[in-house]
Amino acid sequence: MTEAIFAAEALLPGGWARDVRISLDGATITSVSVGAAPQAGDTRAEAVIPGMPNLHSHTFQRAMAGLTERRGPSADSFWTWRDLMYRFALSLTPEEVQAIAEMACVEMLETGFTRLGEFHYLHHGADGRPHANPAEMSLRIIAAAEATGIHLTLLPVFYAHSNFGGAAPSDGQRRFINDVDGYSELFAGAKAGISRPFDRIGIAPHSLRAATDGEITRLLEVHPDGPVHIHIAEQMREVEDCVSWSGQRPVERLLSQFNVDGRWCLIHATHLTEAERRGIVASGAVAGLCPVTEANLGDGLFPAQEFLAEGGRFGIGSDSNVEIAVTEELKILEYGQRLVHRLRNVLTAGEGSTGGTLLRAALQGGAQALGAPAAELSVGAPADMVALTDRSGLTSAGDRVLDRWVFGADVAVADVWAGGAHVVTGGSHRERERIAAGFARTMKRLAEG
């Protein structure tokens, strides 16, 4: 399907340009004309930017949003939240997983995410036995992405143990657990289910707690290409347990045992020494930051100022999906650094726009982490675009519109194209009503137990 968008301004690889006409043919951008005139039938937009990759998500956790914000009789932490999440995960059917994922994808697209990196570990039936098709749950994620139009990098998770040193898994983890051979069968089935040209698949050893060095080595041998994602150093207890087991901190051990390079995305990497931080930068790996979830779970703050000053690469993810919004991830990333350093505009590159700096870096790092084409408005790139509108009546030009979008309240997402399809108009997804109804039925069933 051929379509054209005429933007008063657009963020191109070389910077902002005025009067830009972008033509699409199917899932691909076919031409970008600067200083153009609009033509009959063009979709008009104020400011068009590339769609943002969401490099880390567990879509099923969208159904938990707001349900764990009550303190129990003891101190609450990531670990008590995790116990609740395990119990919740045991209750979901494949159909419900798809319904929840569709709702999460709709909300991602409505806020400017156009590619989902799904770190997917809910593999088996409630009794822990594989489905007749071991990839059944992965295929549900693929179906949700296709139903909503969001591009997908599927990251089936390898999960085998409950703690460092190959400790036996707990019963609450039974839906996640595989050995390497079982995982490879699951992976093959998931890969066979991917049909769209810009969708991707990668591997995801869950963490150094959940996969031994030997198992990770085998995974890398069997799957030598594509993205590699891993949770690392999210919590101080994780760091302490790793030191007790190996004498090394998690990132220190990962870098010493494996050839970490630009394929890798280190999710969270919150608690780092200076040497670990510089090691990640030198490797070319992407730090996968999820500031909303990291704040919600009380994880801590990533050393972003130092990391970016040294040339580190990062992208953003919605992780637990307690709140889904491009702007909130970027804003909390910056505001956390302001609170730590007691300064303003901490992550800005030199003299310039903080919103623009963060958005450009997250676009680049997110695409790299998800093994995707560059997230940019250029010929041959995926037609993943976000049109912003300023509802205040002010004229926001260039990076100012990004600053007002990330840190203000008046700039909003008006339209989104994903894979060339015009999936969001007037801020609302074209399938919102149907998908929201299915999500509501799922939530009702879960509430009734």
Side-chain angles (χ1 to χ4, degrees), residues 409-443:
D410 293 321
V411 174
V413 172
D415 295 87
V416 177
W417 291 261
H422 196 170
V423 293
V424 173
T425 58
S428 183
H429 191 278
R430 63 186 182 183
E431 294 289 331
R432 167 170 270 282
E433 185 174 349
R434 175 188 67 79
I435 288 171
F439 178 72
R441 288 192 297 271
T442 295
M443 293 300 289

Side-chain angles (χ1 to χ4, degrees), residues 189-261:
K191 185 175 182 180
I194 292 176
S195 60
R196 295 184 298 178
F198 288 119
D199 285 357
R200 300 287 186 266
I201 191 167
I203 63 172
H206 177 272
S207 59
L208 295 181
R209 289 182 285 111
T212 66
D213 292 352
E215 288 163 340
I216 296 173
T217 297
R218 285 188 63 198
L219 291 176
L220 294 169
E221 290 171 349
V222 175
H223 307 286
D225 302 309
V228 183
H229 286 224
I230 188 168
H231 284 140
I232 198 85
E234 180 179 4
Q235 288 282 327
M236 277 307 302
R237 189 174 113 185
E238 175 189 353
V239 175
E240 292 161 359
D241 286 352
C242 190
V243 171
S244 296
W245 164 64
S246 69
Q248 293 178 296
R249 296 165 59 91
V251 171
E252 177 188 14
R253 182 162 186 84
L254 185 77
L255 294 174
S256 69
Q257 297 296 312
F258 303 102
N259 180 28
V260 176
D261 57 17

Side-chain angles (χ1 to χ4, degrees), residues 368-387:
Q368 176 184 323
L370 296 180
E376 62 184 32
L377 305 180
S378 63
V379 174
D384 295 348
M385 300 175 292
V386 176

Side-chain angles (χ1 to χ4, degrees), residues 105-403:
C105 290
V106 161
E107 293 171 334
M108 289 175 197
L109 286 160
E110 288 178 344
T111 68
F113 287 116
T114 55
R115 175 175 289 272
L116 165 63
E118 180 66 1
F119 195 93
H120 177 65
Y121 53 76
L122 189 55
H123 296 310
H124 308 314
D127 60 2
R129 290 185 295 181
H131 294 280
N133 180 344
E136 168 70 22
M137 298 293 252
S138 291
L139 297 178
R140 294 288 180 166
I141 300 300
I142 294 170
E146 292 179 349
T148 57
I150 199 166
H151 275 133
L152 176 67
T153 297
L154 182 64
L155 299 157
V157 171
F158 176 82
Y159 206 126
H161 307 286
S162 64
N163 211 339
F164 296 101
S170 69
D171 186 59
Q173 296 168 325
R174 62 185 180 268
R175 298 192 77 172
F176 314 155
I177 302 303
N178 280 293
D179 59 22
V180 174
D181 291 339
Y183 175 84
S184 294
E185 183 181 0
L186 185 156
F187 183 95
K191 185 175 182 180
I194 292 176
S195 60
R196 295 184 298 178
F198 288 119
D199 285 357
R200 300 287 186 266
I201 191 167
I203 63 172
H206 177 272
S207 59
L208 295 181
R209 289 182 285 111
T212 66
D213 292 352
E215 288 163 340
I216 296 173
T217 297
R218 285 188 63 198
L219 291 176
L220 294 169
E221 290 171 349
V222 175
H223 307 286
D225 302 309
V228 183
H229 286 224
I230 188 168
H231 284 140
I232 198 85
E234 180 179 4
Q235 288 282 327
M236 277 307 302
R237 189 174 113 185
E238 175 189 353
V239 175
E240 292 161 359
D241 286 352
C242 190
V243 171
S244 296
W245 164 64
S246 69
Q248 293 178 296
R249 296 165 59 91
V251 171
E252 177 188 14
R253 182 162 186 84
L254 185 77
L255 294 174
S256 69
Q257 297 296 312
F258 303 102
N259 180 28
V260 176
D261 57 17
R263 291 176 61 195
W264 289 69
C265 182
L266 310 190
I267 304 299
H268 304 305
T270 305
H271 301 286
L272 302 174
T273 64
E274 182 177 333
E276 289 174 312
R277 187 187 73 231
R278 290 181 173 174
I280 296 173
V281 173
S283 76
V286 174
L289 307 182
C290 308
V292 171
T293 294
E294 289 154 7
N296 182 266
L297 296 180
D299 287 344
L301 285 171
F302 178 82
Q305 184 185 45
E306 299 83 357
F307 184 76
L308 295 187
E310 292 164 351
R313 305 173 188 183
F314 80 90
I316 56 171
S318 60
D319 197 350
S320 69
N321 296 300
V322 66
E323 181 180 8
I324 299 174
V326 170
T327 52
E328 288 304 300
E329 301 296 347
L330 296 176
K331 178 164 58 181
I332 291 181
L333 176 60
E334 166 67 22
Y335 280 1
Q337 301 301 306
R338 294 185 187 192
L339 290 168
V340 168
H341 298 288
R342 299 189 296 280
L343 297 169
R344 299 190 71 251
N345 296 306
V346 176
L347 301 180
T348 312
E351 295 182 10
S353 156
T354 301
T357 296
L358 294 174
L359 183 115
R360 287 176 175 86
L363 287 170
Q364 181 180 17
Q368 176 184 323
L370 296 180
E376 62 184 32
L377 305 180
S378 63
V379 174
D384 295 348
M385 300 175 292
V386 176
L388 302 175
T389 183
D390 192 330
R391 299 174 296 193
S392 71
L394 296 175
T395 301
S396 297
D399 278 0
R400 180 162 301 197
V401 75
L402 302 179
D403 288 331

